[in-house]
Amino acid sequence: MSTILEKIAAIESEMARTQKNKATSAHLGLLKAKLAKLRRELISPKGGGGGAGEQGFEVAKTGDARVGFVGFPSVGKSTLLSNLAGVYSEVAAYEFTTLTTVPGCIKYKGAKIQLLDLPGIIEGAKDGKGRGRQVIAVARTCNLIFMVLDCLKPLGHKKLLEHELEGFGIRLNKKPPNIYFKRKDKGGVNLNAMVPQSELDADMVKTILSEYKIHNADITLRYDATSDDLIDVIEGNRIYIPCIYLLNKIDQISIEELDVIYKIPHCVPISAHHRWNFDDLLELMWEYLQLVRIYTKPKGQLPDYSSPIVLNSERTSIQDFCNKLHRTIAKEFKYALVWGSSVKHQPQKVGIDHVLNDEDVVQIVKKV
């Protein structure tokens, strides 16, 4: 492990020494590719899995979505979980009070949302310091990340935590790069740029690909991409997670400072201790999770508005709805009656491919 860390440190110091200009761009691209490969080895080392000491971090997934609390020690993650979900997570004035993942669950707008209080991350977590690798591995399984920051030193901490998560292949509030990449058996590297490129050219792309021992590939750049974007696509193990920055302890700052904080994008100022501004936080959480609630209606009865079926906004067809209810329903499906904004008539008879909107009411009719 130490040799990989030494190699990473050597490459990072070389990148820091190298001046950024047109002549060194290909060299920097090569260094970034080498760094990405070493980081991948660090995330999933070759050989056996973790020892018995690694246990007790992952928590069984329950509910409709999962939110992970990430932050440095003593920023108020445990207080926030206790006050949001009513779960006791040990709280104390010293650092590293939480040593394992503490789960909690809240019900919001009919959806069950699992909250995970992860142990504090320290600088160098991505390189295996503390138990950072296990913490960030759990963070990779979340649908949304709450980055809890101390509002007295927010931006410095935010930058460090983003750097740690980036090193682990987690991209916050970003979309996957719009780059088409396909390996092939022969024909060399075929690069097609749909818009002018400020950083990537044919030589640089070939240099990065050669580091991965790829000599034949089709690549289409649909926007002005960077070498980091290309490396992310080649690696293929990046995870894109929305993130809300929670600036905690606002009871310690002035109104003027609060006005400045409110202008930071993706940010909610709160006081976990006094339960201030939790409404704003939950509303933004709902917006970022992009969940869709579908109500069921048994034949001849009123719709059941108390317990909706919650779907991910990317998978909201009648088939997804049937699969969420029970695997066998889709096989016996005849048609569905839908009330709501996804149909023109109330009710409307639809097939299994019909896409539902939030708060639609559905009645499934099976084959006899």
Side-chain angles (χ1 to χ4, degrees):
M1 191 66 77
S2 61
T3 53
I4 295 178
L5 291 177
E6 282 161 13
K7 284 179 189 169
I8 286 174
I11 290 173
E12 282 181 338
S13 67
E14 189 178 343
M15 282 170 71
R17 285 197 309 271
T18 308
Q19 283 187 332
K20 285 182 184 172
N21 55 45
K22 199 74 183 159
T24 60
S25 61
H27 178 60
L28 280 169
L30 182 66
L31 291 176
K32 283 177 181 173
K34 284 183 173 171
L35 197 60
K37 280 174 70 182
L38 289 168
R39 288 232 184 281
R40 182 174 8 119
E41 278 184 51
L42 206 57
I43 295 169
S44 48
K46 296 183 181 84
E54 306 273 309
Q55 296 303 313
F57 251 63
E58 183 48 281
V59 172
K61 205 165 187 173
T62 60
D64 301 304
R66 185 178 232 194
V67 177
F69 295 9
V70 170
F72 282 113
S74 286
V75 289
K77 298 189 296 299
S78 299
T79 310
L80 182 62
L81 180 74
S82 302
N83 286 340
L84 268 179
V87 175
Y88 179 69
S89 181
E90 196 175 336
V91 178
Y94 53 84
E95 298 196 340
F96 299 107
T97 321
T98 307
L99 296 173
T100 60
T101 303
V102 180
C105 190
I106 58 167
K107 238 186 152 180
Y108 188 68
K109 294 193 178 182
K112 280 187 188 147
I113 294 160
Q114 185 182 34
L115 305 175
L116 297 180
D117 175 19
L118 301 171
I121 289 178
I122 56 171
E123 207 175 334
K126 65 182 184 308
D127 303 327
K129 279 192 189 167
R131 294 185 73 182
R133 293 218 342 262
Q134 295 103 299
V135 175
I136 300 176
V138 178
R140 278 177 73 97
T141 67
C142 296
N143 305 96
L144 172 66
I145 285 177
F146 280 175
M147 189 179 285
V148 188
L149 304 164
D150 190 327
C151 70
L152 298 174
K153 41 194 168 186
L155 295 174
H157 278 187
K158 175 174 176 278
K159 214 168 180 180
L160 286 169
L161 282 167
E162 282 174 346
H163 185 62
E164 297 301 322
L165 294 173
E166 290 255 333
F168 231 79
I170 295 175
R171 303 287 179 263
L172 301 176
N173 294 328
K174 285 182 183 172
K175 292 270 183 283
N178 194 359
I179 296 174
Y180 171 79
F181 168 74
K182 189 173 187 237
R183 294 186 191 214
K184 50 187 189 178
D185 297 329
K186 55 188 177 187
V189 174
N190 180 20
L191 178 66
N192 180 19
M194 289 179 153
V195 294
Q197 298 294 314
S198 56
E199 187 178 328
L200 291 175
D201 55 23
D203 292 338
M204 190 171 184
V205 169
K206 282 177 184 168
T207 307
I208 292 170
L209 289 175
S210 65
E211 176 59 31
Y212 286 94
K213 297 184 172 58
I214 299 170
H215 304 293
N216 303 292
D218 285 336
I219 295 169
T220 304
L221 306 172
R222 298 191 180 105
Y223 70 111
D224 186 6
T226 65
S227 52
D228 290 320
D229 295 337
L230 180 61
I231 290 165
D232 281 356
V233 171
I234 297 167
E235 283 280 336
N237 62 353
R238 305 299 190 233
I239 290 188
Y240 298 85
I241 305 177
C243 174
I244 299 174
Y245 303 102
L246 309 188
L247 292 172
N248 191 19
K249 307 182 184 176
I250 54 169
D251 47 311
Q252 299 176 9
I253 60 171
S254 67
I255 297 289
E256 290 77 25
E257 287 171 306
L258 193 57
D259 288 341
V260 173
I261 281 174
Y262 248 117
K263 290 175 182 148
I264 302 171
H266 312 293
C267 160
V268 180
I270 59 160
S271 169
H273 183 67
H274 296 288
R275 303 184 184 213
W276 291 353
N277 212 18
F278 278 13
D279 293 348
D280 267 17
L281 168 61
L282 292 171
E283 197 53 52
L284 199 64
M285 173 191 78
W286 183 258
E287 189 186 312
Y288 277 48
L289 283 172
Q290 294 187 308
L291 298 175
V292 172
R293 294 157 294 174
I294 309 297
Y295 301 109
T296 54
K297 182 188 179 305
K299 193 174 179 183
Q301 294 177 32
L302 288 169
D304 177 12
Y305 290 115
S306 60
S307 49
I309 302 298
V310 180
L311 302 173
N312 185 305
S313 62
E314 289 167 12
R315 294 187 295 278
T316 59
S317 70
I318 293 279
Q319 182 154 14
D320 297 315
F321 171 74
C322 290
N323 291 340
K324 190 85 188 258
L325 285 170
H326 198 276
R327 288 192 297 277
T328 57
I329 292 178
K331 292 173 189 166
E332 301 165 2
F333 178 88
K334 188 177 180 187
Y335 64 87
L337 292 171
V338 177
W339 292 257
S341 58
S342 70
V343 289
K344 287 179 183 172
H345 314 292
Q346 311 290 336
Q348 187 169 321
K349 199 168 161 180
V350 299
I352 202 156
D353 296 326
H354 176 77
V355 175
L356 298 162
N357 288 349
D358 190 29
E359 299 201 271
D360 278 0
V361 175
V362 177
Q363 179 181 323
I364 302 288
V365 178
K366 293 182 183 179
K367 292 173 189 162
V368 179

